[in-house]
Amino acid sequence: MDCAADQSGSIKRCLPREAEAIDFAAQLETSHRVLWVLAAGLAGRRELADDLVQDAVVAALGKLDQFTVDTNFTAWMAQIVRYTAMNRRRSERRRQMVSLEQAPIDSSAPTQRSEYNDDFESFHQNSRLPQDQPYFDDELTAGLNELSDVARACLLLRTVTELPYEQIARLLDIPQGTAMSHVHRSRQFLRQRLGQSNATSAKGKGLDQ
Amino acid sequence: MTPHQSPQFDPLDQYLDKTLSQTDRQRFESRLDQDDALNAEIRLQQRIDRSLRQWYEPKPSNGLLSRALTMTAARRAPKSKNRLFQLRPLAVAAAVAAMVLFGAWLIWPNTAMQSNVNGVINQPKMTLTAYYQQQLDAGFKPGWPCPPDYFKRVTAGRFDHALVMAETPPAGVEPLGVSDCRTISRKTLCMLAYIDKQPAMVFFDQVADDAGQTLDSSPGSSLSLHRAVLGEVVVYELSPWDQPRLIEMFSLPAPESESAR
């Protein structure tokens, strides 16, 4: 049958012939999670990951003749995700050349926390979240943004998808040792940043660590 | 703070990655019991990891491929529209000539209907997408109307297996009629319809004659193609919508009706 199976069962969805030849739909389904996390790491924002993966799939549909059957589909798609992310960054840089300078993130400044006044302790009293979770989340987000795209992608692929370092290296086309180094340094960096931040917020609010 | 080592040998990373041997893991955990600073680092890292897993776990990829296929065709469409615009006078003249000839066949005396069928038989087969595009270019008009009782007789006669068409179409669906269309085989019957005012087609033929249909990579491929099998009849729905809406109108008759054919 030329039509790929979909969730509905008896009614089959049909794709272009070249996509059918490599079972594109099934392979995409299998590799989607890894590709999404890769995209989120390279883009730096979860919100952009969906668009990035979709653009990569569109690009892949135009390059099906370049894919060799029985080779690593995820690695091939990862390459397209990387190129798509790179092109997006270039476009964004061109757009931003005339405008905005972002204020540097100052972890000691209370601006992002002005909404969290002395009442937030009671607000979180019955919550299972640690009481400093909002601070923690802010700092973790800021810390992730300071990582390089590749380092962040390595960290997320290791932490979220638990991919072996060898596979992470293949997806990003870097040596395995470099992938391990990125994860190691990223973890260290985030712990240092959050460790200092937690100490500051605990002192300021009288919270226990 | 753990002393900086090559990442491959940093026990903290190895512990987090669960790559320590059992002996080394037990040794490390003993250290944790005695080293408050190391313990705090591990707990902090575990907290970081929990947040990352929560934030970066993707949702399922529902509809991703459909959207990508639609975008792929949309990116091609402007070029094809420009080309069509340039060839418009020629296309109009060709369409008019084709309709005049077709009309002449229809009004030819005595064997008009047979000639029509023979004409269709002698035409080369087209892909479903190409036929759909041809019908769009020609104004999307069926050969003749097809109420449900007529549809059942036609499918019984043509495919030796009757299909039943719902008396009331689903919401938003407007069947127009049927045509002979030499696509899957020379016997293919196609129904033209509108789904929420968008043109759609359903193609019927015998399963045994179906070598498998796919979407073309041509300008019409912003479409979705769905396939179903009803008894010995294969049904393809081609439309701009991601989900099939026409196929559900058709079903196999109840056994009593089958014997009454």
Side-chain angles (χ1 to χ4, degrees):
Chain A
M1 181 185 297
D2 287 325
C3 301
D6 67 5
Q7 293 87 352
S8 66
S10 61
I11 299 180
K12 311 291 183 184
R13 175 71 187 272
C14 306
L15 295 170
R17 198 177 298 272
E18 304 90 335
E20 291 291 345
I22 64 169
D23 202 6
F24 187 90
Q27 299 220 56
L28 183 63
E29 181 74 31
T30 305
S31 55
H32 173 258
R33 184 165 177 259
V34 167
L35 295 175
W36 191 94
V37 172
L38 171 66
L42 294 175
R45 288 161 57 189
R46 288 168 292 170
E47 308 82 65
L48 296 180
D50 284 333
D51 283 347
L52 196 48
V53 171
Q54 187 167 289
D55 284 351
V57 173
V58 170
L61 287 171
K63 296 177 196 288
L64 289 172
D65 56 331
Q66 297 175 22
F67 177 73
T68 309
V69 180
D70 295 333
T71 57
N72 190 322
F73 178 84
T74 306
W76 180 71
M77 280 298 307
Q79 184 185 50
I80 298 175
V81 168
R82 291 201 315 273
Y83 289 158
T84 307
M86 194 166 58
N87 290 337
R88 273 207 176 201
R89 272 197 302 278
R90 283 187 189 144
S91 303
E92 279 167 18
R93 260 187 238 127
R94 279 195 290 270
R95 275 198 295 271
Q96 285 171 0
M97 270 177 68
V98 193
S99 60
L100 319 175
E101 284 184 16
Q102 288 189 347
I105 295 170
D106 181 0
S107 60
S108 64
T111 42
Q112 291 184 12
R113 302 164 192 164
S114 56
E115 62 193 88
Y116 296 108
N117 52 27
D118 291 337
D119 291 336
F120 89 97
E121 286 185 42
S122 56
F123 178 78
H124 288 292
Q125 203 168 3
N126 296 320
S127 167
R128 293 192 300 168
L129 287 174
Q131 291 181 337
D132 65 340
Q133 193 67 34
Y135 294 83
F136 185 89
D137 290 349
D138 286 346
E139 286 303 307
L140 181 54
T141 304
L144 284 169
N145 288 340
E146 290 186 37
L147 297 174
S148 71
D149 296 347
V150 174
R152 186 171 48 239
C154 287
L155 177 68
L156 292 181
L157 286 168
R158 182 64 210 158
T159 307
V160 179
T161 67
E162 297 183 348
L163 274 187
Y165 286 107
E166 182 196 349
Q167 289 189 30
I168 293 173
R170 194 180 310 156
L171 293 184
L172 287 160
D173 196 24
I174 55 178
Q176 182 174 331
T178 305
M180 296 177 79
S181 183
H182 277 311
V183 173
H184 168 75
R185 291 194 182 124
S186 299
R187 283 171 172 164
Q188 248 186 357
F189 170 75
L190 290 174
R191 285 200 306 273
Q192 280 174 346
R193 188 188 174 103
L194 283 148
Q196 286 168 4
S197 165
N198 279 352
T200 306
S201 69
K203 270 187 197 168
K205 296 290 179 184
L207 296 172
D208 293 330
Q209 278 290 83
Chain B
M1 182 78 71
T2 54
H4 178 72
Q5 297 176 10
S6 174
Q8 291 92 326
F9 302 108
D10 186 332
L12 192 148
D13 280 308
Q14 288 182 301
Y15 179 74
L16 292 165
D17 290 338
K18 301 186 178 70
T19 54
L20 286 172
S21 66
Q22 188 169 354
T23 310
D24 288 341
R25 183 171 55 78
Q26 286 169 348
R27 195 176 301 143
F28 189 82
E29 284 172 349
S30 298
R31 257 183 78 193
L32 284 180
D33 290 338
Q34 293 154 21
D35 187 338
D36 288 344
L38 182 61
N39 207 341
E41 277 210 79
I42 289 287
R43 283 191 284 115
L44 177 56
Q45 186 63 58
Q46 287 170 338
R47 189 180 174 189
I48 291 170
D49 291 352
R50 275 197 301 275
S51 288
L52 292 179
R53 290 186 191 112
Q54 193 179 352
W55 293 354
Y56 289 96
E57 184 58 48
K59 296 179 223 164
S61 62
N62 295 336
L64 168 63
L65 186 52
S66 306
R67 288 192 300 276
L69 287 168
T70 304
M71 285 173 66
T72 302
R75 286 181 184 183
R76 289 196 191 114
K79 286 186 203 165
S80 66
K81 280 182 187 163
N82 286 338
R83 209 176 295 138
L84 276 177
F85 185 77
Q86 288 166 6
L87 295 174
R88 207 170 166 177
L90 198 59
V92 168
V96 168
M99 286 161 73
V100 166
L101 285 173
F102 187 71
W105 280 345
L106 286 178
I107 65 174
W108 201 261
N110 300 329
T111 58
M113 209 49 160
Q114 188 61 40
S115 298
N116 184 26
V117 173
N118 284 339
V120 171
I121 290 172
N122 292 330
Q123 286 172 10
K125 280 199 296 183
M126 299 174 77
T127 65
L128 304 188
T129 315
Y131 186 83
Y132 174 91
Q133 191 59 49
Q134 184 190 68
Q135 294 308 303
L136 282 184
D137 293 341
F140 207 69
K141 302 229 181 296
W144 57 95
C146 186
D149 56 343
Y150 177 77
F151 178 79
K152 186 175 175 183
R153 290 200 302 276
V154 163
T155 50
R158 192 174 287 219
F159 307 127
D160 293 328
H161 292 86
L163 290 183
V164 173
M165 176 176 154
E167 292 287 338
T168 308
V173 172
E174 183 193 344
L176 301 177
V178 294
S179 294
D180 287 314
C181 49
R182 184 170 163 75
T183 49
I184 301 169
S185 79
R186 60 185 176 84
K187 292 197 289 183
T188 306
L189 180 74
C190 55
M191 177 172 287
L192 282 68
Y194 284 113
I195 301 175
D196 293 335
K197 302 191 192 316
Q198 297 294 322
M201 294 186 72
V202 189
F203 299 82
F204 305 88
D205 210 319
Q206 287 181 303
V207 173
D209 290 335
D210 180 29
Q213 311 301 315
T214 57
L215 284 172
D216 292 350
S217 304
S218 60
S221 60
S222 59
L223 305 167
S224 296
L225 183 65
H226 293 85
R227 182 184 193 271
V229 173
L230 300 173
E232 299 299 321
V233 179
V234 66
V235 185
Y236 283 94
E237 176 176 336
L238 184 64
S239 82
W241 302 102
D242 285 347
Q243 298 300 322
R245 302 261 296 274
L246 291 172
I247 287 180
E248 64 189 63
M249 282 175 58
F250 306 100
S251 58
L252 292 171
E256 299 79 31
S257 303
E258 191 81 304
S259 62
R261 243 190 326 112

